[in-house]
Amino acid sequence: WARDGLQSEPDFVPTELKAEMITRMVEAGFTRIEATSFAHPKYLPQFADAEKVLQLIPRKAGVQYRGICTTPTAIERAIRSKGEGYGVDEIAMVISSTERHNKANVNMTHAENKAQLEQMTRSALASGHEVFGWVLTSFGCPLTGDVPVEQVLAMGQWWKDLGAKYIGFGD
């Protein structure tokens, strides 16, 4: 919630308020929270404070935090913050089920994106992070329409073969 719920907000949500919202989620009993994105602030300015938010949120046994990473630099930030003692436990990465949406979303072909994600996944796993692999446009693509189930499942299998502990199929 904390990441996707804030991603499109037009006004910057103050760092302390983000930390308070996440703290309340922990207090309410949530144990897995997507806390932030390590995206470049140029593209997602709402998360320019990712590391600061992670420094302010509570660390409680049984609570896992996830951060989304779409570039090698984002992975480096996630790894560095974990090494400094305030990082996320899990890193989420995405690939669209259709070539056209993937190109529109991350400006890469499937082949280009897979090569990059393979390297990023190796780095994430080597640093002790769990990996959550998202397959976007699993239930239809806004650019191409229906997506064959076999195509979606093949992407899920690809994530599994890479070592993703969790695989999500998103719309």
Side-chain angles (χ1 to χ4, degrees), residues 1-160:
W1 166 87
R3 195 273 313 163
D4 197 38
L6 296 176
Q7 183 166 309
S8 297
E9 288 297 315
D11 296 325
F12 184 81
V13 176
T15 304
E16 293 74 17
L17 183 55
K18 290 176 196 170
E20 180 183 342
M21 289 187 287
I22 294 169
T23 299
R24 288 182 180 201
M25 292 172 65
V26 171
E27 290 170 352
F30 288 90
T31 57
R32 292 187 72 213
I33 300 168
E34 190 165 279
T36 195
S37 170
F38 290 95
H40 193 289
K42 173 181 167 185
Y43 301 107
L44 290 177
Q46 195 63 258
F47 303 109
D49 59 354
E51 287 86 350
K52 185 65 177 170
V53 168
L54 291 172
Q55 290 172 11
L56 294 174
I57 59 179
R59 302 302 164 148
K60 182 178 173 183
V63 175
Q64 285 192 303
Y65 294 111
R66 178 189 312 147
I68 192 163
C69 295
T70 57
T71 65
T73 302
I75 289 286
E76 291 169 11
R77 288 175 60 200
I79 291 169
R80 184 174 53 252
S81 65
K82 182 174 181 156
E84 293 176 2
Y86 57 84
V88 295
D89 309 289
E90 183 181 302
I91 294 175
M93 296 176 245
V94 303
I95 190 166
S96 300
S97 69
T98 64
E99 185 90 31
R100 190 166 166 205
H101 187 272
N102 205 70
K103 186 78 169 155
N105 191 44
V106 294
N107 198 29
M108 284 185 267
T109 65
H110 274 154
E112 293 166 333
N113 200 190
K114 282 182 172 183
Q116 182 177 18
L117 289 169
E118 288 168 7
Q119 180 182 23
M120 290 166 57
T121 298
R122 281 193 299 275
S123 295
L125 292 172
S127 67
H129 286 92
E130 293 179 344
V131 171
F132 191 118
W134 278 110
V135 181
L136 306 180
T137 63
S138 293
F139 305 102
C141 176
L143 302 175
T144 62
D146 290 340
V147 182
V149 172
E150 299 78 20
Q151 187 172 323
V152 173
L153 293 176
M155 284 290 190
Q157 184 64 52
W158 175 79
W159 274 121
K160 182 180 178 192

